[in-house]
Structure formats: C-alpha cells, structure tokens
Amino acid sequence: MLRTALAGLRAHRLRLLLTSLAIMLGVAFIAGTFVLNDTIQAGFAERVTADAEKVAVAVLPEGPGERIGPEVLERVRAVPGVREAVGLVRGSAPLLGQDGKAVGGMPTTAVSIVPGALDRTTIVSGTGPGSDDHAAVLDENTAEAAGFQVGDTIRVLDSRGREHVFRLVGLLDPGLDQELAYTGAVGFTTATAQRMTGAEDFAEIDVAGDDPAALKPAVAAAAGAGHEVLTGEELAADLARQAGLEMRTLTVGLLMFGLVAMLVAALVIYNTFGILVAQRTREMALLRCIGATRGQVFGSVLIESAVVAVVASVTGLAAGYGLGALTLAVLGALDAPLPTEAALALSPETIAVGLGVGLAVTVGAAVLPARTATRVAPVAALRTQVEERTFRAGVPRVVFAALFLLAGLGAGGAGALVLPPGEQSSLFVVMAGGVLTFLGVLILGPVLVRPLSAVLGWVPAKLFGVPGRLAVDNSGRNPKRAATTTVALTIGVTLMTLISVVTASTRATVTDKLDEQFPVDYALMTQGREGGIPRSVGEELKDRPEFAAVLRVRDTAATVRGVRVRVGTYEGPISPKLVSGALPELAAGQVAVAAHAARDLRVGVGDTVRVGPGSGAVPLEVVAVVDDEAPLPTLALAPGQFAELFGDVQDSRVLIDIADDVAPERARAVVEAATAAHPTVQVQSSTEVREEFDQTLDMLLMIVTGLLGLSILISLLGIANTLSLSVHERARESALLRALGLTRAQLRRMLSVEALVFGLIGAVVGVALGLVFGWAAMRAMLEGAVFTASPWQIGLFVLLSGVAGMVAAVLPGRRAARASIVGSLAG
Amino acid sequence: MDATFTKTRHPAVVAEALTKVYGEGDARVHALREVDVSFGTGAFTAIMGPSGSGKSTLMHCLAGLDTATSGTVRVGEVELTGLSDKRLTLLRRERIGFVFQAFNLLPTLSAEENILLPLRIADRRPDQVLYDRVIDTVGLRDRLGHRPAELSGGQQQRVAVARALISKPQVIFADEPTGNLDSRSGAEVLSFLRTSVRELGQTIVMVTHDPMAASYADRVVFLRDGRLVDELPAPTPQTVLDTLMKLEA
Ligand SMILES: Nc1ncnc2c1ncn2[C@@H]1O[C@H](COP(=O)(O)OP(=O)(O)O)[C@@H](O)[C@H]1O
Ligand SMILES: [Mg+2]
C-alpha cells in the first residue's frame, strides 16, 4: 500500500503543491515565532549575564515600591568577605526640556552611578559623572528626543520642584531596564542622586566579593528580614526573565495568529484530500476489486497526507528559521529596544512543535476524506462515468446547524445585552458565541453556497456574458467543496471585520462620551499620578473670559471596603453620563461612584459606604453611579468634605472648554501663561490627544490586519487549489466549450469569475459575522458603547477578497486554457 | 490501389496533402499521410476505416481542433493553415458544428440551454423559425427543461445534433455520433442527420466504423494507415461492408 500511496503522490505532485504551501506557511509562522522568541530571550540572558558577573550578591527589597534603609548598607559592608558594597538610588527627577517644560509623559528616573568595579551602567558616549556632583548623564533616547548633546547644560527638578543645573557629560544605554527605557533616565553621583530624589534609602545594594555562595547567607543574615538576597547569577536570571515577559506575551499573541492560520490550512487540506479522493473513486474501487481491504485504502490516503505533511513541515521549519532571521534583521535595523544580536536559535522544541503541528493538522484533516475513500464500493471501478454527486441538505445537517447557530447567537446576544458590560466573562461569552456560530455556518455552508452564489453572482453573470453565467453555475455546483473553500476565507475576513468594527467603535465611543460629557479643548495634566497641578492654576483659569467652562479634578488614593480606589472631588460645570441615580450638586455626606468601582465595592444608589483616610472614615450615601468614561474621580465627594477628610490636595487635572468666539491660539496663550511657572504641568489639546489615540488604533488595526493576512493568503491558496482541481476534473467540459468556440481568454475569465464568486461569498459571510460579533464584543466590553463600522474599510475587504480570488484563479486558468482540446476530449 | 477520387463541386471543406505526425524519433506515428479530400456543400459524407487508420485525426485537423504537420485545409474560402488559436476558435464558433461520441453536453445546463450554447458564446440571437424547426425535427420539445443527467443516451445525442444545427454552421463534424447508442436510438440520430441535410441543406462529415451508419451518407471515403484509399458513392450497408472487407484483405 505504501507503494500505491507514493505513486499517488508522484502522480498528484502538482495538485499537492498548493496544499503543502498552505501547511508550510502555517508551520513557518509558528516556527518563526519560536525562533524569534528564543533568540531574543537568549539575547536578554547574554546581556544581563555580563553585567551580573560584576556582582557577587545583591540585596533587594521584598515588595515592589519598597526601599532599603541606609543602615542595611552599613551592616552589609561589615560582613566579612565583602570587598565592596554600594547602594543604588532610584527615584523621580523630571528633566526639563529646552522649552522649560518637563520632558515626556512620565518624569525621568534618577539613578546613581557608582564608581569602581560595581558600576553596571553602559556609557555609550562621553563619560560617567565620576565624582562630579555637577555632572549628569542621560539615556540616549531622552537626549535625542529633548535635543541635548554631551557638553550641553541640562536642568532637572528635585523632589520639591526646585531647578538644578548640570553639565551633560555622557549618554547611557538603559539596557534591559524596562522602567528606565519607559521613563527615560538621568544619572548622577550617588550623593547627587540622593539629593535630587530626596531619599536616603536605596532600591538595591550590590556587593562585590569572592565567593557568592558563601556570601549570600552571611549578607542575608546581616540585611535582616524583609529583604531578598540573590547571587549575581540569580539576579541575572531574574532580570532576563522580567525583561522577557513582554516578549513572551507577544509570542503567545503571535501564536494565536499562527493557530488561526493552521485552522485555515486544515480546511484547505481537508478540501484537497476530499477532492482527490472523489477524483480517484475509480482507482480506489479498482484497488478494492483486486483485494485491498478498507483499512488498506484508508491507510494509503493517510500515508499520502503524512508524506505531504513531513515535506511541508520541514520546508516550513526552514522558512520559519529564515522568517525569524529576517524579522530580527528588520528589528535590528529599526533600533528596536530588543536584543537582536544573539545567535539565531532553532531549538529542539521548535523543531518538535513545528513538525508536530504540521503533521497533526495535515493528517488530522485527511482523516475524514480517507474514511470517505473506504466507502467506495468495488463496483464503482466498472462504471464508465463518475456521476456528479448531487448534494442534498439532509435533515441532521440542518438540525445541527440550527442548534449551533441558536446557541452561538444566543450566547452572543446574552453577552452583549444581558451580562454586565466591561466584565471579562461577558466578552468571553460573546467569543464562545462567535465560535459556536462559526461552527454553525461551517455545517450549514453547503446549504448556503447555492443561494449565495446566485445572489452574489448576479452582477458578474450579467457582466461577463456566457463565461460569467457558466462560472456562477459552476461555483454552486459542488456545494460542499465550495463551502469549505469559502469558509477558509471567511475566518480571516470575520476577524478583520471584527477588529475594524471594534477599533472604529472604540474611537467613536470614546470621542462621543468625551464630547457629550465635557467638550474638552485643553487638558492640563502632570507627569505621574499624584496631584501636581497647583490649585492656583485652575483657580486663575476658571474666571478667564476666554473659557466657557473649566473643570478641576483632584483625587488621592484611599482604601474603601478593602479595595484601593481613587477618592476625589471636582469643581466646575459637568453633567456626567449616569448609569443610575441623580447628580445635581454633591452635598456633604454624598458620594458618586464610577460604574466599575460600584461593581467592585458592590454598592448601588442608596447604599452607604465609609470613606476616609484610615480611622477617620465617615459614612456617605451613594447618590449616583457614573459612567466609567466620565472624567471624574472614581469616588467623588463634595469639595468641602474631601478637603476635611484628605486635606489640601493639588489638582490632578484641569479640563478646559474654550468659549465659542475665542481663537484657539489666544486660548492656548492664556493656558501657557498660567502654567509657565510650573514645569511639570503639561498642556494637551484634545485634538492632539485624539490624533495620538487615532494613531494608536490605526497602528493596532494595521498590525492585526497584517498578521491576519497570513490566514487570508492560505485561504487564497485554498481557492487556487480547489479551482485547479476542478479544472482537472472538468477538462472534457472545457474542451467541449473550446470546440464550440469559447476562446482561451473566455475560458480563463470563466475561472476568474468562479473565483470571484468564491471570494465574494467568503467575504460577505465573514463581514456579516464580523459585524454581528463586533457589535456584541463592543457591547460586552464597554458600557454604553457606540457601534460604528467603517463602510469603506469593510467594502474594501469585500472588494479585495473578490480581487484576490481572481488572482488565485490566474494559474489554474492558464493551465485550463493551455490544455489541448483534442487530448482533453479523448480523456 | 490508385483510386481516383471525386473532385467535389462547391466544396465546403477541402484538404490538400494533409499530413499529421505524432511524436518524435522512434515513437513517430504518421497518423495522416498526404491526404487530399474534399466535402461537398449540402452533402452527407462518411469517413470510414479500421481502428487507428486516422479518421479522428483527419476530422480534428479539418475542424481546426488540431493543427496538421503539413498540407492545407480550407473551410469555405478560409485557409486554416497558420491561423492563430483565437482565429481558429472564432472560425469554429461561426462556421463549424460538432457532435462527439460522448460528453457532448454541459451537465449544469438544461437541454435548451445546451442547444443555445454556441449562439450564446457567439452572442447571437437564435433564429426562431429555425429553432422551432430544429426542435420539432429532433422531437425534444417536452424535454427542453431537463438536465443531461435526466435524459437517455439517445436523447442526449439528439440534443447534441440540435445544438450543432442551431448555429447554421457551414459544416457539422460528427465523430462516431452513434458509437455509444443502441441500434434504435442510433438509427434515430442518423435519420435526423440525414433529414437536416435534405431539408436544411446542411453539410455533414461523419466519422464512423459502422457500415449501417455509413449507409445513411451520400458518399463514403475510406482511410487506411493514414491514407485515403477508396470511396463509395450512394453507399448501402452491403457495399460498405464489401469495400471494408476488400481493404482489410
Ligand atoms: N495524441 C496522439 N499521440 C500519438 N499518437 C496518436 C495520438 N492520437 C492518435 N495517435 C495515433 O495516430 C493514429 C491515428 O489515430 P486516430 O486518428 O485516433 O485513428 P481512428 O480514429 O481512425 O481510430 C493511431 O495510430 C494513433 O495511435
Ligand atoms: Mg477515433
């Protein structure tokens, strides 16, 4: 049987090529993702190892945000065997830009740069501060963004907002430190760093010594409880793991796309083997006539699929390796903050996963067709013509499909309309509903194909004359085949539409809510979280005639019912969107709660919560539950009561609405003037914010679309495959048409139109599913979500699917047109 | 055997020194050797010969389905030699009708749609009078809405004949049109072919190996080993059989 299987493979080489390509692409993507991850993780490890070798033992605070007191350093220094021990300072110290405003969205982080053997900073140009208390270094990115060069004078604010002047003596590379890469870094001598951050304690103590293993317990004993003590090696492993976390999340995300691609590939494979088995009915029957058992026939089909799988997976692995290398090269060229220099890693795990997934998906998808092959009766060998099997929608199929559709749409509806929005579980229910509905469509597909091809083929049939009409007939001719072919495309288009709908709706929802509740033109913010806008700024602005309204919001962290929340107050005209209750003006003893917090605290209108710092909590009555998007504190109190409970807190944001007849430039000038004396106060115009937000969403849409492109590509291979198999099957028919006067061009056009109809069916079903579940997902994710879809984007998906289908028909069409009439007629 | 062949007056199709060679080197097969033959307008001619004598090859070359190795073919006043594929296709569309031994019809189309297919390909309107006449001659009026799978073999071939007639081609080529039929259905199809020659003035060239079928024709030409070896005017089954026996000997 092995020999027949191999002979079959050789005979159908070309036909199996496209299938192999589908598997190969899927495996390449998955393997490439692994290669990328492994290489980058290895790069992280390499980078930290070199640094960590300098450190024998490190002392770290136990919890995040905690510090190590200076007395610990003294005790560690006294441990025998400790050659040297230094404390590392770390804290906020906002760098001021050339315009006198703090640089970036977050204050830069000040770090101490220690002299001697324990220095782990990488100075890429210039020098370190050495012992010069008036010297500083910046990280490269911040220096470039703010336009500073070595030799310039820079100004930095200390913890009390006073300005200090330093000479920029060098630039450093923050390496794997995610915090420094995010906020930007400014390096000083230890003494200066302490002075600037206003903190005497340390983020880490590094120890140099000869025998880390022996030092570790001694240092731990000296440091005392509440500290974590690691050897240099352990520290390196820890740092590498932390640095690699995001990469790992990214890898999981990428693998999801890989899985979708493999699912699409599975459909393509299932279809190919289904068609091959159908075309070889007589061959199978002959094998059965001459004594092959059902098992042997089954086996021969599976062996064939296994050989295809192995060949495709091995090629896929190689391609994945190349893909990984290419991505690394691109990342390296783009200066991505990732280590791209490590040797390309093709681990045994990658090989195992690549081969395993390729083999499992291919052979798994071939099982059903192989089973069909065993059902061929031996007498079929004697029939001269293989009759076209007419498809009838059986009752079980319709019942099953109906069940799945009901369950799927029911779950989608429940998640969107019944379950509370904003909860993960709601979104999960909607997603499950999506999967069930998709399965329903998959089962019902063959029933849907004919009506859909009649409707969607109407225009092409009118447009393309005889070839058009024949093509539309052909597209509905083999409903099962057509359904599988188009569903493969549907997967990709559904997900694309979904993403398009979700981004468009998110955009609309956010904009809509902002406009509705408080039409903001300018927002004053500060770097970081806690307060930071002196109250005088808001007070000065609120009476300016240039502004129609000014809203001042301040809040602070507090614990309510055991939950950490932001408690605050606001002053200014705002009518926030309410979920329940009423909010005229808050009086003492009242509180308005944001929707998400109301859920977390399990309170509703009329309930009482105790709010206040520690023991000073007072009971307040909940008068309103406010929409999450409203620009208010999570728990809003009356201003007087807030001041009584929490004291004098600075504003955390001031939102400004310009009066109608005031030019934006003038308004801006007023705002700038009011904030000029406060470098950490940042002025954002809402158009800027929206632009940034739009760009982020567009970027997201682009990346996801690009990644889904792989699945779409594979489904197009499926269309090409189905067509070329059909071309082979209909060789005599095409020859007859050619004899009757159909030109080669017309024959090619016939196949393009058939592919066009496939593409349109796949796309239209995908768009419908994507719209429905995009809507449901929005409802499940956001309270009061506004549903919008971009018609041009979705129209583009449909159009491109049709066009791509036609492109997929080019090669099969050429083969069909080139076939000799006489030869095909005889066949 | 130097038979002298009739130079047909007003020939619809003329072949001169037609040679067709398949394959290369040792595998060379001369399917046709220097065949000179012509087929008169409004005549029903049968091509006969033993299996492998080149009958189908001759027909394919005459009909522009295949190109000859050397020699010339004229359909009406059009010279086929050197025509591009596109021109040949248009020539077939405009001037030639076909009836094949099997697989004449598109399975997705109804009988009526199959009959009108050549006209639709050529984007021509059917001549209603001719259409009615053809449908009535082949007796298919009550079967027009059926798909090929719902028709018997004889009915399918009658649909094929109707399709060939409907575009009023200069010549119809039929390759073993009764090869797959029982004798009664075969006789029906053959009489339709003859009726269409008599009543519609259609020119028909038919390849067959059945003396009975050949006897419906006005003239029979005989091939052997790719050469035209004999011809018989006004054939009867007996005279055809005799000539075949003589050739086999
Ligand atoms: N495509 C081909 N390739 C090679 N030889 C061929 C081909 N078609 C026909 N022949 C050969 O040409 C000769 C004539 O064939 P054909 O015209 O089919 O004969 P007939 O129709 O009289 O049986 C035969 O010897 C046949 O084997
Ligand atoms: Mg023949």
Side-chain angles (χ1 to χ4, degrees), chain A residues 295-612:
Chain A
Q296 283 173 315
V297 169
F298 185 77
S300 80
V301 176
L302 281 198
I303 290 171
E304 204 170 313
S305 70
V307 174
V308 172
V310 169
V311 172
S313 306
V314 169
T315 330
L317 273 179
Y321 188 74
L323 193 68
L326 187 73
T327 313
L328 280 170
V330 171
L331 286 177
L334 291 178
D335 258 342
L338 288 170
T340 53
E341 68 279 346
L344 218 52
L346 187 63
S347 68
E349 288 88 351
T350 308
I351 297 177
V353 169
L355 290 182
V357 169
L359 203 67
V361 167
T362 314
V363 178
V367 164
L368 278 182
R371 224 166 60 102
T372 313
T374 63
R375 299 228 193 86
V376 174
V379 289
L382 310 175
R383 296 199 192 113
T384 41
Q385 215 158 10
V386 190
E387 63 259 50
E388 207 144 300
R389 260 186 284 156
T390 44
F391 172 82
R392 255 178 227 98
V395 176
R397 178 184 293 273
V398 175
V399 169
F400 261 112
L403 284 179
F404 271 105
L405 286 179
L406 272 179
L409 292 173
L417 300 173
V418 183
L419 294 177
E423 299 272 312
Q424 270 197 341
S425 59
S426 311
L427 187 60
F428 184 74
V429 168
V430 167
M431 271 158 56
V435 171
L436 286 175
T437 309
F438 176 77
L439 288 177
V441 169
L442 187 64
I443 299 172
L444 201 62
V447 185
L448 295 176
V449 157
R450 232 177 254 168
L452 279 177
S453 77
V455 172
L456 295 172
W458 193 75
V459 172
K462 287 266 174 288
L463 231 56
F464 294 101
V466 184
R469 255 219 52 207
L470 290 171
V472 173
D473 284 350
N474 282 338
S475 65
R477 197 161 151 182
N478 216 314
K480 269 191 179 168
R481 208 181 276 183
T484 320
T485 308
T486 52
V487 157
L489 179 63
T490 298
I491 295 177
V493 176
T494 302
L495 293 176
M496 275 203 188
T497 310
L498 195 90
I499 289 297
S500 156
V501 165
V502 167
T503 47
S505 301
T506 306
R507 197 178 310 226
T509 305
V510 170
T511 315
D512 191 72
K513 285 191 171 174
L514 284 178
D515 285 350
E516 192 180 307
Q517 298 179 37
F518 193 89
V520 184
D521 292 306
Y522 288 110
L524 303 190
M525 318 271 239
T526 52
Q527 293 181 325
R529 190 88 226 226
E530 285 300 329
I533 310 174
R535 293 272 290 281
S536 58
V537 174
E539 245 128 50
E540 183 189 332
L541 289 173
K542 84 178 198 300
D543 298 323
R544 296 290 306 219
E546 286 85 357
F547 305 133
V550 173
L551 176 69
R552 290 165 289 148
V553 179
R554 53 186 176 278
D555 59 3
T556 185
T559 306
V560 175
R561 293 195 171 183
V563 182
R564 295 284 289 178
V565 289
R566 310 278 312 171
V567 177
T569 187
Y570 64 93
E571 289 171 84
I574 179 175
S575 42
K577 212 170 141 196
L578 301 181
V579 177
S580 59
L583 189 61
E585 185 135 350
L586 281 168
Q590 294 181 334
V591 61
V593 184
H596 70 92
R599 274 197 305 275
D600 290 346
L601 301 175
R602 298 174 195 288
V603 295
V605 172
D607 293 347
T608 303
V609 283
R610 294 185 68 85
V611 180

Side-chain angles (χ1 to χ4, degrees), chain A residues 466 469 736 738 741 746, chain B residues 85 92-93 104 106 113 120:
Chain A
V466 184
R469 255 219 52 207
L736 176 67
R738 294 269 292 122
Q746 283 179 310
Chain B
D85 178 78
R92 287 199 301 274
R93 188 192 276 186
N104 267 301
L106 287 195
E113 290 171 321
R120 304 222 12 227

Side-chain angles (χ1 to χ4, degrees), chain B residues 22-23 27 29-31 49-58 175-176 207 223:
Chain B
Y22 286 114
V29 177
H30 275 83
S51 182
S53 56
K55 305 183 293 290
S56 296
T57 304
L58 175 60
D175 192 356
E176 310 260 15
V207 168
L223 281 178

